[in-house]
Amino acid sequence: MSDHGNNEHDAARHGNHPKGLRERLVDVGVELVAAEGSQALTLREIARRAGVSHGAPRRWFPTHLELLSAIARRGFDELAERAAAAIGDGGESPRAQLTVLTRVYLEFALGNRGMYELMFRHDLLESGYLGLRDTSLPLFGVLVDLVGRARPGADARTVAASLWANLHGIAQLWCWGSLQLATGADDFTPLLRTALDAHLGPESGR
């Protein structure tokens, strides 16, 4: 049977609705990246786990990068929801909001290692596909805004980028166990506090 015939059969099995199969493929990809990491995200393996022919994903995602981008979009959506919930109504001081936001970021990174690794590999992803850039850049924009209010007069974008890089380093080295070995710590909180002090200055009253 041709791939076209297989695709029609696959669509029938998933309710004859393109979105049904498309979302199923993304769902499987999200499950796979959580269990085995981004290196496991091949079109063939996702198709196998979704129970469709190996050519079926290409009907909805013509390239591997487009499917990876759709999977990463789920991660950015979840992180954005967590960030919004953490900041709440914005009534706290910018420094307090940054403290909560950066903790949420690290907790997400450490609790979703495969997805986190995929999300920030923009050398692999098509950032403009499916509005991925429209999801990731506003998250950085929130960080820039809070840094600008916490450090008036500073180059907020550069400081925010440096803080983000610092957070990414903490997340990655903590995942590998390197920071625990080097510091003897079993909690990243002191490292997070030090990173915030380094980029924003010591918190007043401490």
Side-chain angles (χ1 to χ4, degrees):
M1 183 182 293
S2 68
D3 279 349
H4 178 70
N6 284 334
N7 288 342
E8 289 181 347
H9 177 65
D10 294 332
R13 291 173 57 198
H14 290 268
N16 278 319
H17 195 292
K19 185 177 180 181
L21 178 53
R22 182 190 179 285
E23 292 304 307
R24 173 62 182 152
L25 291 168
V26 178
D27 288 343
V28 168
V30 171
E31 294 165 3
L32 185 57
V33 76
E36 300 184 22
S38 60
Q39 72 281 354
L41 292 174
T42 65
L43 286 172
R44 184 174 293 272
E45 181 60 16
I46 290 173
R48 186 186 73 79
R49 295 194 182 211
V52 299
S53 64
H54 66 82
R58 293 196 180 278
R59 181 175 181 184
W60 318 116
F61 302 101
T63 70
H64 186 210
L65 295 181
E66 290 178 6
L67 179 52
L68 291 181
S69 298
I71 294 166
R73 174 66 184 261
R74 291 280 188 88
F76 278 114
D77 286 344
E78 181 181 348
L79 181 55
E81 289 175 6
R82 292 193 190 189
I87 293 173
D89 61 6
E92 298 292 331
S93 69
R95 177 65 175 251
Q97 292 180 65
L98 279 167
T99 299
V100 174
L101 181 63
T102 52
R103 174 171 289 278
V104 164
Y105 180 89
L106 287 178
E107 289 174 345
F108 177 87
L110 299 177
N112 303 272
R113 293 174 61 176
M115 178 63 82
Y116 177 74
E117 177 186 353
L118 174 65
M119 286 165 59
F120 295 104
R121 287 296 307 273
H122 282 284
D123 56 329
L124 297 180
L125 302 175
E126 293 189 1
S127 298
Y129 188 70
L130 297 175
L132 185 60
R133 183 181 289 111
D134 297 334
T135 309
S136 59
L137 289 182
L139 280 170
F140 181 63
V142 171
L143 186 63
V144 172
D145 176 66
L146 290 173
V147 166
R149 290 194 282 133
R151 273 193 63 185
D155 182 343
R157 185 167 294 275
T158 299
V159 173
S162 297
L163 174 57
W164 177 25
N166 200 161
L167 294 172
H168 187 85
I170 291 172
Q172 190 66 75
L173 291 172
W174 195 268
C175 283
W176 291 338
S178 301
L179 286 174
Q180 297 92 316
L181 179 64
T183 66
D186 57 7
D187 179 4
F188 63 71
T189 299
L191 296 169
L192 175 56
R193 185 182 303 121
T194 300
L196 289 169
D197 285 349
H199 295 286
L200 305 176
E203 190 171 10
S204 59
R206 198 178 78 221

